[in-house]
Amino acid sequence: MTSADTPTQPTGERPPRILLIDTFRGIALIAMATYHFTWDLEFFGYVDPGTATQGFFRLYARAIASSFLFLAGVSLVLAHGRGIRWHSFGKRLAIVAGAAIAISVATLFAFPQEWIYFGILHNIALSSLIGLAFLRAPLGIAFAIPILIVAGMIIDATVMPGILQSPLFDTRWLAWIGFSEFPPRSNDYVPLFPWLAALLTGIAITRLAIIRGWTGRLAELQRNDTILAKAGRNSLIVYLVHQPILLALVYLFSLISPAPAPDPRLVYMNSCQPSCLRETGDAALCQRFCGCTADKLIGEQLMTPLQSGTISAQDNRIQIMAQECSISAGQP
């Protein structure tokens, strides 16, 4: 019997709920809340600009997004592995997609320059639809596709930089696919590729676990319900309400003890250098280029208008500065 012929889930009674998965989802919620709290502290100026988007916290955010998508793939198999329950799936999809749209609308008003046009909920909704095709596909294919996606990402980042990227995908209408060179700024950007790989990996591993009979043993690992497990079962509600609460708390604290005004030059450097480094791969060149443009922006009193959004980076004066600093920094 081939893997394609093997039932994705044994017939008979529905298997018991695996509380451990709910607990893992609850842990992911805590991790997400700690990351968002760091973002809030940065937004109100209590930590250095760029803290939440660089270094450890950049990797931390990616690990959190991957865990949610992986668990979404696990849940998709457990809920629909024996046969897609279309009413249940459609209801859940409508709730997640509706929440994603609500977040887009809310952030468009709250953060018009960095609104969320394709975040984690948008990805979960679309990836879940795609994931349906892998519930009955040969198990080898279910494993092979996410491996190929990750391999392509690694090749794109190391061996052949930019091979999967094109400026054609740099608009919000297409950046959600994941092949843009410079996607529009967003407070939560989780494009379809490569993040689809996390959900498909969850599907493949869960199908393998069912075939091997591991689910019963996993259910036995945790028998008692916990606060974490309960939070995990209501992850969407927790996701929607936690950030407004955290923002409100930090805002109230800022009224009592305001953060010192950030150094506009530091803010600019923390934004310019990572972007330049992704494009050129030369840290020394980027430091010279960004330092040069920062000095010119401050000298021409354009730094504040640029950071406030009054003028854009496409402004002719800024373009001339960039060209001059490219030559000065030695950029080919």
Side-chain angles (χ1 to χ4, degrees):
M1 181 180 291
T2 66
S3 60
D5 299 324
T6 305
T8 56
Q9 188 164 303
T11 57
E13 294 184 3
R14 190 175 178 181
R17 187 175 189 93
I18 302 175
L19 290 175
L20 189 62
I21 294 175
D22 294 330
T23 298
F24 284 151
R25 195 178 289 110
I27 293 172
L29 286 170
I30 292 177
M32 176 187 62
T34 60
Y35 174 77
H36 284 163
F37 184 62
T38 303
W39 188 95
D40 298 340
L41 292 176
E42 179 184 334
F43 181 74
F44 283 96
Y46 290 102
V47 298
D48 291 338
T51 297
T53 56
Q54 300 176 32
F56 166 77
F57 281 102
R58 179 180 176 85
L59 297 176
Y60 189 43
R62 292 184 174 188
I64 294 168
S66 296
S67 68
F68 274 110
L69 284 160
F70 176 87
L71 291 170
V74 172
S75 298
L76 195 65
V77 176
L78 294 178
H80 305 285
R82 296 197 305 172
I84 301 172
R85 297 179 292 126
W86 288 107
H87 177 75
S88 174
F89 177 82
K91 180 180 178 181
R92 181 65 179 174
L93 180 65
I95 292 173
V96 174
I101 293 172
I103 287 176
S104 291
V105 173
T107 56
L108 180 59
F109 286 98
F111 310 101
Q113 302 300 321
E114 300 178 338
W115 65 284
I116 299 173
Y117 55 92
F118 203 85
I120 185 67
L121 291 184
H122 303 72
N123 193 307
I124 289 175
L126 181 56
S127 294
S128 295
L129 271 173
I130 296 172
L132 293 179
F134 291 83
L135 295 179
R136 294 286 177 179
L139 193 57
I141 291 178
F143 273 104
I145 297 301
I147 291 174
L148 289 174
I149 292 174
V150 173
M153 178 185 67
I154 294 173
I155 292 172
D156 179 70
T158 56
V159 182
M160 303 176 69
I163 189 175
L164 298 178
Q165 300 173 349
S166 169
L168 294 175
F169 295 92
D170 283 355
T171 67
R172 286 190 173 91
W173 296 107
L174 295 175
W176 60 270
I177 300 173
F179 297 144
S180 60
E181 285 188 339
F182 301 102
R185 294 174 64 179
S186 175
N187 284 327
D188 183 23
Y189 177 57
V190 188
L192 183 63
F193 293 100
W195 298 101
L196 173 63
L199 183 135
L200 296 183
T201 301
I203 289 176
I205 289 178
T206 307
R207 286 185 57 191
L208 178 63
I210 290 173
I211 291 170
R212 296 294 177 86
W214 297 339
T215 52
R217 279 172 281 178
L218 288 172
E220 291 294 319
L221 290 176
Q222 181 180 339
R223 295 186 177 184
N224 297 324
D225 209 354
T226 63
I227 294 177
L228 274 178
K230 291 176 181 177
R233 286 197 297 276
N234 297 280
S235 57
L236 182 58
I237 295 175
V238 175
Y239 177 85
L240 292 175
V241 303
H242 85 282
Q243 178 65 327
I245 292 174
L246 290 176
L247 273 172
L249 291 174
V250 179
Y251 170 71
L252 291 174
F253 181 79
S254 72
L255 298 178
I256 302 171
S257 180
D263 180 355
R265 191 180 194 280
L266 178 61
V267 173
Y268 175 80
M269 292 294 288
N270 284 337
S271 173
C272 175
Q273 286 185 272
S275 177
C276 172
L277 190 59
R278 287 194 297 271
E279 184 176 356
T280 67
D282 189 331
L285 182 148
C286 289
Q287 186 172 12
R288 294 193 300 270
F289 171 77
C290 293
C292 173
T293 53
D295 292 339
K296 286 182 176 292
L297 286 168
I298 293 173
E300 296 293 330
Q301 298 183 342
L302 294 175
M303 180 68 83
T304 299
L306 175 64
Q307 293 180 336
S308 66
T310 304
I311 61 174
S312 74
Q314 306 306 316
D315 186 281
N316 187 55
R317 293 166 295 178
I318 296 178
Q319 291 295 309
I320 293 174
M321 290 180 188
Q323 292 173 3
E324 294 173 350
C325 288
S326 293
I327 296 173
S328 175
Q331 186 173 4

